[in-house]
Amino acid sequence: MGSFDVLLDSERTQLDAFVEEYRSALEAALDGLTEEQARRRLVPSATTVLGLLKHVTWMQRVWFEECVGGTSRRELGLVQGPDESFRLADDDTVASVTAAHREACATARAAVADLPLNAVVTGHRGGPRTLHWVYLQVLRELAHHCGHADILREQLLAGRVRG
């Protein structure tokens, strides 16, 4: 179900639809790319298409497992900051990062399933906030990084044609 399928549904249904669309779009940015292309750096930062998916996996774990679930980053085995979350290990592949993303998404869905949007969650180091705020933050991050992934993918595919 996409965002245009829920025009008159509840706010929660709409938020879930948008989050799911962006999650899928980030995974789709890797479709048809080779392992090398998925890892290729086209900008001075560590940003790659595969690194973006690894980062949003980390980001969702921070917001849903740490902030909502109350488990610290250390206990979750997460790197402490966002810059580190883009870094790819030698054994990261499109398949392994995608699998980790899907697992994080399933965990996120379960973490919020029984909570109302006005629930106050207290696990984040920045202090309490509502679940509604968490959804908006996650949407902002996902949309932001979908744009990055689109541009990088376009550059990679254009290079394939010219190269």
Side-chain angles (χ1 to χ4, degrees), residues 51 54-59 61-63 66 71-89 92 124-125:
K54 188 169 183 175
H55 167 71
V56 300
T57 300
W58 173 87
M59 176 271 299
R61 293 194 68 199
V62 165
W63 289 112
E66 180 183 43
T71 306
S72 74
R73 292 176 198 191
R74 188 174 8 84
E75 291 173 286
L76 292 168
L78 297 176
V79 296
Q80 292 302 302
D83 290 345
E84 301 165 87
S85 71
F86 285 90
R87 292 191 192 119
L88 297 170
D92 284 332
H124 195 269
R125 58 177 98 178

Side-chain angles (χ1 to χ4, degrees), residues 9-123:
D9 288 38
S10 71
E11 183 175 18
R12 178 61 170 271
T13 299
Q14 291 175 355
L15 288 169
D16 284 333
F18 274 91
V19 167
E20 293 301 332
E21 275 185 355
Y22 283 120
R23 286 171 170 162
S24 295
L26 273 159
E27 285 188 19
L30 290 163
D31 287 351
L33 298 183
T34 65
E35 294 291 335
E36 186 277 328
Q37 288 172 318
R39 291 173 154 276
R40 189 180 303 163
R41 291 173 79 170
L42 301 173
V43 295
S45 72
T47 305
T48 63
V49 180
L50 189 58
L52 284 165
L53 188 61
K54 188 169 183 175
H55 167 71
V56 300
T57 300
W58 173 87
M59 176 271 299
Q60 291 182 85
R61 293 194 68 199
V62 165
W63 289 112
F64 293 114
E65 295 177 50
E66 180 183 43
C67 183
V68 175
T71 306
S72 74
R73 292 176 198 191
R74 188 174 8 84
E75 291 173 286
L76 292 168
L78 297 176
V79 296
Q80 292 302 302
D83 290 345
E84 301 165 87
S85 71
F86 285 90
R87 292 191 192 119
L88 297 170
D90 290 342
D91 61 346
D92 284 332
T93 64
V94 170
S96 69
V97 174
T98 300
H101 180 251
R102 290 178 181 170
E103 182 179 330
C105 293
T107 300
R109 286 183 207 103
V112 301
D114 297 326
L115 296 175
L117 288 176
N118 64 352
V120 175
V121 294
T122 60

